[in-house]
Amino acid sequence: MTTLPSFDEMMRMAKEEPQALEALRARTIEQTIATANPSNQPQLRALQHRIDVTISRASGPCQSMVQLSNMMHDKLALLNTAFQNPDALRHQQASVTPFRPGSPRNSAANH
């Protein structure tokens, strides 16, 4: 596992070597996911991808922090619901519209 530099060193890296700090971040995340249970790794990689996309779309560090905090808050609220009222989650259903190649609706979208 990668040993993290001190906070002061990471602050210096953020100012003077942002690419090196980003490489450290990516390496540490990859190592952490690699040590997780293999059955959890796909979900962890998907979550990390969502985090990376959120960061890349944010206008700055403060906006990304707020968006990631909101994402975490939403997940904690869902977890709380699962603990407090699991039946509420069991009864949720999605409406799935089947895709049929060549159907009039799909053909019109292709023209």
Side-chain angles (χ1 to χ4, degrees):
M1 191 58 106
T2 300
T3 301
L4 293 178
S6 69
F7 178 80
D8 291 335
E9 176 62 14
M10 287 193 282
M11 286 292 295
R12 186 199 63 74
M13 290 172 73
K15 292 176 185 173
E16 299 172 14
E17 302 176 71
Q19 297 86 1
L21 182 61
E22 176 57 27
L24 174 65
R25 181 186 83 90
R27 188 171 56 250
T28 304
I29 290 167
E30 180 54 37
Q31 288 174 348
T32 301
I33 291 173
T35 62
N37 184 319
S39 65
N40 294 332
Q41 289 180 13
Q43 186 177 7
L44 291 171
R45 290 190 193 289
L47 176 60
Q48 186 58 49
H49 175 73
R50 185 171 172 208
I51 290 168
D52 290 340
V53 168
T54 299
I55 291 170
S56 71
R57 290 182 177 169
S59 61
C62 286
Q63 185 186 26
S64 65
M65 184 271 307
V66 168
Q67 289 175 343
L68 292 174
S69 178
N70 288 340
M71 190 168 69
M72 184 175 64
H73 185 277
D74 292 345
K75 290 295 182 182
L76 286 172
L78 185 62
L79 184 60
N80 184 51
T81 299
F83 282 128
Q84 299 295 323
N85 189 6
D87 289 336
L89 296 177
R90 286 189 192 114
H91 296 118
Q92 288 185 354
Q93 292 185 0
S95 172
V96 178
T97 304
F99 174 74
R100 293 186 191 99
S103 70
R105 184 175 188 177
N106 293 329
S107 295
N110 293 330
H111 296 297

